[in-house]
């Protein structure tokens, strides 16, 4: 182990910043992160409203529209799109699970989701802001109304309101790094030194979880019939090469994930792929 500028001290500010960045960035998520962020917003908004709504309105940025359009939302029976993602969170989501908000959906809740989508109007509009990531969700039940807004990254809740009473109103920042650890401490040289010097015990939990979850869904992608089966194709062609194996397993995990596989991945910088 090389002792460099970090000196592996628990109290070292930069060392702690690096650990914080890993913990912030390496997070479990089931399904493509944009639909799951919509499901999380739906679950939180229903919790705020205190009832199943009879009207839903969601404003979303163009980038979210693009990313949500075609991917399968897990635990919905093959549904895809903004409406099903939001409604899955409203009907069956557990907001405490964050990006695994719809990881435990019962058969009864799936049936309830279908009935809800058949009877409750969901209005979807482009968000008026220029933000790349913007979810503005309003749920109504009779005269009761709950609204919340998530911007910049998937769990960054900045606004909550119920029946005209503002419960949360944080400043709007255009940076996607809003309320995250300052990454200006990062550069290639220091990252390499951190990797050489870090105490394994300090990263075992987050890195170990990443290895377990991502390898599991990659293996499922190789075994199963997910997406375009790119992983299997790569293995069959030049699978004896380690570089091809790495590409195959990564592709297989992504194929499974984007096709609605109900297994979590550990995302990095908001992306599971």
């Amino acid at each position: 182990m090389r002792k460099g500028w970090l000196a592996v001290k628990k109290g070292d500010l930069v060392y702690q910043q690096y650990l914080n960045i890993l913990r912030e960035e390496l997070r479990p998520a089931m399904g493509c992160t944009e639909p799951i962020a919509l499901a999380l917003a739906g679950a939180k908004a229903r919790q705020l409203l205190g009832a199943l709504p009879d009207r839903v309105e969601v404003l979303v940025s163009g980038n979210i529209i693009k990313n949500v359009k075609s991917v399968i939302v897990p635990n919905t029976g093959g549904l895809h799109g903004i409406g099903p993602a939001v409604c899955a969170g409203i009907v069956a989501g557990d907001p405490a699970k964050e990006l695994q908000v719809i990881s435990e959906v019962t058969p009864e809740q799936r049936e309830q989701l279908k009935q809800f989508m058949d009877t409750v109007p969901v209005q979807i509009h482009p968000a008026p802001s220029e933000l790349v990531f913007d979810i503005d969700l309003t749920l109504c039940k009779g005269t009761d109304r709950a609204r919340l807004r998530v911007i910049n990254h998937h769990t960054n809740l900045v606004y909550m309101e119920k029946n005209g009473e503002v419960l949360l109103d944080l400043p709007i920042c255009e940076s996607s790094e809003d309320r995250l650890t300052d990454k200006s401490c990062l550069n290639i040289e220091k990252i390499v030194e951190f990797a050489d010097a870090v105490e394994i015990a300090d990263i075992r939990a987050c890195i170990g979880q990443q290895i377990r979850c991502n390898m599991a869904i990659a293996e499922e992608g190789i075994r199963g019939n997910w997406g375009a089966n790119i992983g299997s194709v790569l293995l069959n062609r030049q699978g004896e090469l380690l570089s091809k194996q790495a590409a195959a397993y990564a592709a297989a995990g992504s194929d499974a994930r984007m096709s609605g596989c109900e297994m979590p991945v550990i995302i990095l910088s908001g992306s599971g792929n």
Side-chain angles (χ1 to χ4, degrees):
M1 179 183 291
R2 193 175 87 199
K3 302 283 186 177
W5 56 286
L6 291 166
V8 194
K9 294 187 298 184
K10 298 285 185 182
D12 185 282
L13 176 61
V14 179
Y15 184 79
Q16 291 302 320
Q17 283 180 305
Y18 273 52
L19 292 179
N20 288 340
I21 289 169
L22 282 175
R23 291 164 185 158
E24 288 171 353
E25 297 294 342
L26 298 176
R27 306 184 63 186
M30 176 181 284
C32 179
T33 43
E34 276 76 19
I36 294 303
L38 287 165
L40 178 58
K44 285 182 176 291
R46 184 206 170 165
Q47 185 180 61
L48 181 61
L49 184 65
L52 275 177
D54 51 31
R55 300 185 308 284
V56 177
E57 181 180 11
V58 56
L59 309 179
V60 285
S61 54
N63 192 61
I64 291 178
I65 294 172
K66 170 182 71 69
N67 288 349
V68 174
K69 181 178 183 296
S70 299
V71 296
I72 302 299
V73 183
N75 276 326
T76 63
L79 301 178
H80 62 85
I82 292 169
V86 172
C87 292
I90 292 171
V91 171
D94 179 356
K97 294 183 180 299
E98 294 200 323
L99 296 180
Q100 298 186 84
V101 58
I102 51 172
S103 61
E104 297 180 8
V105 178
T106 66
E108 292 77 16
Q109 286 173 322
R110 286 195 188 189
E111 187 59 35
Q112 187 183 11
L113 172 61
K114 294 177 183 177
Q115 295 172 1
F116 181 85
M117 293 186 63
D118 286 341
T119 57
V120 176
V122 179
Q123 298 180 9
I124 302 168
H125 305 287
S129 78
E130 297 298 321
L131 295 170
V132 172
F133 190 105
D134 195 349
I135 298 170
D136 194 332
L137 178 61
T138 300
L139 306 185
C140 299
K141 174 72 171 179
T143 58
D144 289 329
R145 181 177 182 271
R147 178 187 167 214
L148 58 76
R149 189 177 181 196
V150 179
I151 66 168
N152 292 331
H153 51 91
H154 304 85
T155 58
N156 189 32
L157 183 63
V158 297
Y159 186 85
M160 287 197 304
E161 171 192 331
K162 179 161 185 197
N163 293 334
E165 180 184 359
V166 176
L167 305 172
L168 177 70
D169 190 7
L170 300 178
I172 302 299
C173 175
E174 294 185 1
S175 170
S176 62
E177 297 297 309
D178 188 23
R179 282 182 282 282
L180 295 176
T181 300
D182 181 8
K183 294 184 177 63
S184 64
C185 62
L186 295 172
N187 61 53
I188 297 300
E189 180 183 6
K190 290 180 180 179
I191 289 171
V192 171
E193 290 190 359
F194 174 80
D196 284 343
V198 66
E199 294 283 0
I200 296 300
D202 291 338
I203 61 170
R204 188 183 304 279
C206 63
I207 298 296
Q209 184 183 36
Q210 183 185 35
I211 293 169
R212 290 190 302 273
C213 288
N214 291 4
M215 194 63 188
I217 197 170
E219 290 173 340
E220 171 59 27
I222 295 291
R223 285 192 304 266
N225 183 25
W226 297 102
N229 291 312
I230 295 171
S232 300
V233 171
L234 289 174
L235 280 183
N236 289 336
R237 294 188 65 181
Q238 288 182 296
E240 71 281 359
L241 298 176
L242 184 59
S243 61
K244 293 298 181 181
Q245 292 176 28
Y249 276 84
S254 291
D255 255 349
R257 175 175 174 268
M258 302 299 278
S259 301
C261 179
E262 292 154 7
M263 298 174 70
V265 302
I266 305 302
I267 64 173
L268 174 65
S269 300
S271 173
N273 290 337

